[in-house]
Amino acid sequence: MKFIDLGDARRRCLSSTLTSSLEYARKIQSSSSLKRVLFQPMTYLNSWEEFEKGAERLYLQNPMKARYSMKYCHNKGVLWLKLTDNCTCLQYKTEIAQDLKKMEKFIGNLMRHMASKDS
């Protein structure tokens, strides 16, 4: 195995690149608006009504950025629904089969919003 000597000029270049990257990361962390976006926790809502109202409000605020995902784990019998716009993330988790009908109705309404000519 051979080790290659980078030379002083290359070491200085790599060092300055690393330093500028660290300074950029510090600027991002200190920025209050980016901090809100980067460090927004994901929220699990306890009631379906609360999730439905919040998700609809989140979608109507910015329809082009909002997206949802649904995940089902058969072994655990758990269904997850998540709606996010990259700033705020709302999640709902249920093990109750009756909530599935509510979720289907909500997704249908969301699809109607997405397909309408108003947005």
Side-chain angles (χ1 to χ4, degrees):
M1 178 181 246
K2 291 184 178 182
F3 291 99
I4 301 170
D5 184 23
L6 296 175
D8 290 335
R10 182 113 187 232
R11 271 191 224 112
R12 277 189 299 240
C13 180
L14 288 173
S15 176
S16 67
T17 303
L18 180 61
T19 305
S20 64
S21 296
L22 290 173
E23 288 172 5
Y24 179 71
R26 285 187 194 116
K27 284 180 187 177
I28 288 177
Q29 284 183 332
S30 66
S31 171
S32 61
S33 63
L34 287 175
K35 187 180 278 188
R36 183 183 61 92
V37 171
L38 294 175
F39 303 111
Q40 180 75 21
M42 289 194 252
T43 308
Y44 271 105
L45 299 174
N46 295 328
S47 72
W48 171 253
E49 290 78 19
E50 187 179 352
F51 173 80
E52 189 175 23
K53 287 177 187 175
E56 189 170 6
R57 191 175 324 116
L58 184 66
Y59 174 77
L60 291 175
Q61 282 177 357
N62 195 348
M64 295 306 290
K65 283 192 174 182
R67 63 186 187 277
Y68 80 95
S69 65
M70 191 183 303
K71 181 176 158 184
Y72 177 70
C73 180
H74 181 70
N75 293 338
K76 297 177 184 177
V78 178
L79 183 66
W80 289 276
L81 189 60
K82 174 178 162 181
L83 193 113
T84 183
D85 69 347
N86 292 337
C87 292
T88 306
C89 181
L90 301 175
Q91 294 182 330
Y92 181 72
K93 176 174 81 168
T94 186
E95 298 173 358
I96 302 169
Q98 293 172 344
D99 284 346
L100 183 61
K101 286 288 183 190
K102 293 177 186 176
M103 285 184 180
E104 282 180 338
K105 184 177 176 184
F106 171 72
I107 296 300
N109 288 337
L110 195 61
M111 290 295 161
R112 259 187 239 102
H113 278 299
M114 290 177 180
S116 72
K117 294 187 180 195
D118 295 337
S119 53

